[in-house]
Structures are given as structure tokens and as C-alpha cells.
Amino acid sequence: MQLTNAARQLKQKKIPFTYHTYEVDETDVSAKHVAMTLNKPLDELYKTICLMNEKKQYAFFLISGERDIDLKAAAKAWGAKKASPVPMKELETLTGYIRGGVSPIGAKKSFPVYLHEAAQDRETITISAGKRGYQIELTPEDLLQFTNGHWFSQ
């Protein structure tokens, strides 16, 4: 099985995870579709959203698949005045990832990571492994420890 950069990094640090693969539907890369394909609850699948603040700094925010990001809450958690999604055309150049395959692990550059507090109630969460068709399931605590991440609420 081909390991993504994110999976290799976790394996190297001996962080336990489960690797999931699925058939990609290029017409639908939504969290809902991925959750259905993997037969996982939507609130267990966490999508990674890359945001930019007013100082042109970047961060990854992870929220469960059934939620939409609250930009004001994200900015507050980040200590920024405002936050906005990174434009799709800049995403790959900035992170090395494309929409539907963005992971907070193994990006081109290390950005702060914020995980929605709802993940505290989950034994594990499933996140992108950095490539469409690949997901990593791990504990929220391991994700935060590996990325030096923070909890946030909205």
C-alpha cells in the first residue's frame, strides 16, 4: 500500500493510526461523500480548512464534516482580527495539497493547527492523509500532540 507523506511522518514517530483508502469520485470530494464511501459517521470525519488572517499568516482548522467553519470564531481562537479561506488557486502552491486532500500533517510548510472541541468527545477522528482517496484515523490527542495543535470552539 502506498503511504502518503502524512502517513509516513506518523509512522516514523510511532503514532498509532489506521489507514483508509477509498475510490475517488472527482465530481464529489465533499466530506459527506467521503464519509459515505468509508461507511463512517459524518461527525467522525474531519475536514481540514486552510485559513489566512489579515497579516497573511496561515493556519489549518479542522472541523467535523457536518459543520461549516465559523470564520469569526476561528479568527478569535487564532488571535487574529479576521480569517478567510485560502483561495483554491493558491492552496496547492501554499500547502502542497489540493482540495479534498488537504492534511494538517506533512504540508509544504508547518502552520498552526486548530481542532474543533467537538473532537474531544470522539475516541478517534478521521482526517485526510494528504491525497484524495486516503484517510488517516487517529485519536484527537495524538493529532494535537503531533502538530502542537490547539482546541477551538465556535
Side-chain angles (χ1 to χ4, degrees), residues 113-134:
V113 173
Y114 294 86
L115 177 59
H116 189 268
E117 66 184 1
Q120 292 174 340
D121 298 333
R122 303 225 49 102
E123 191 173 312
T124 62
I125 59 172
T126 303
I127 65 170
S128 174
K131 187 175 181 182
R132 289 179 184 167
Y134 297 85

Side-chain angles (χ1 to χ4, degrees), residues 2-148:
Q2 174 189 351
L3 289 182
T4 64
N5 192 32
R8 278 192 299 278
Q9 287 184 14
L10 290 172
K11 193 172 183 176
Q12 184 178 38
K13 295 288 184 183
K14 297 182 177 18
I15 294 178
F17 67 93
T18 304
Y19 207 43
H20 300 284
T21 60
Y22 62 95
E23 190 71 33
V24 178
D25 178 353
E26 296 291 339
T27 65
D28 189 356
V29 295
S30 69
K32 185 176 182 179
H33 180 77
V34 173
M36 285 178 25
T37 303
L38 290 174
N39 198 25
K40 296 248 180 220
L42 188 55
D43 65 347
E44 182 183 308
L45 192 82
Y46 275 66
K47 52 191 175 185
T48 305
I49 302 164
C50 189
L51 298 181
M52 175 177 60
N53 68 19
E54 72 281 356
K55 297 176 184 174
K56 294 264 187 198
Q57 296 168 323
Y58 304 94
F60 290 123
F61 282 79
L62 285 89
I63 58 172
S64 63
E66 86 280 5
R67 294 180 184 270
D68 291 321
I69 188 79
D70 179 332
L71 295 174
K72 287 183 181 182
K76 183 179 178 183
W78 192 4
K81 290 181 183 172
K82 69 181 218 177
S84 58
V86 170
M88 289 298 151
K89 65 183 181 197
E90 297 173 23
L91 191 62
E92 186 174 7
T93 303
L94 180 67
T95 67
Y97 296 133
I98 60 173
R99 181 177 176 266
V102 178
S103 179
I105 301 169
K108 276 184 175 181
K109 296 176 185 166
S110 182
F111 299 131
V113 173
Y114 294 86
L115 177 59
H116 189 268
E117 66 184 1
Q120 292 174 340
D121 298 333
R122 303 225 49 102
E123 191 173 312
T124 62
I125 59 172
T126 303
I127 65 170
S128 174
K131 187 175 181 182
R132 289 179 184 167
Y134 297 85
Q135 297 281 311
I136 291 171
E137 183 178 344
L138 73 171
T139 69
E141 294 78 15
D142 282 343
L143 174 63
L144 289 177
Q145 183 178 358
F146 183 81
T147 61
N148 293 312

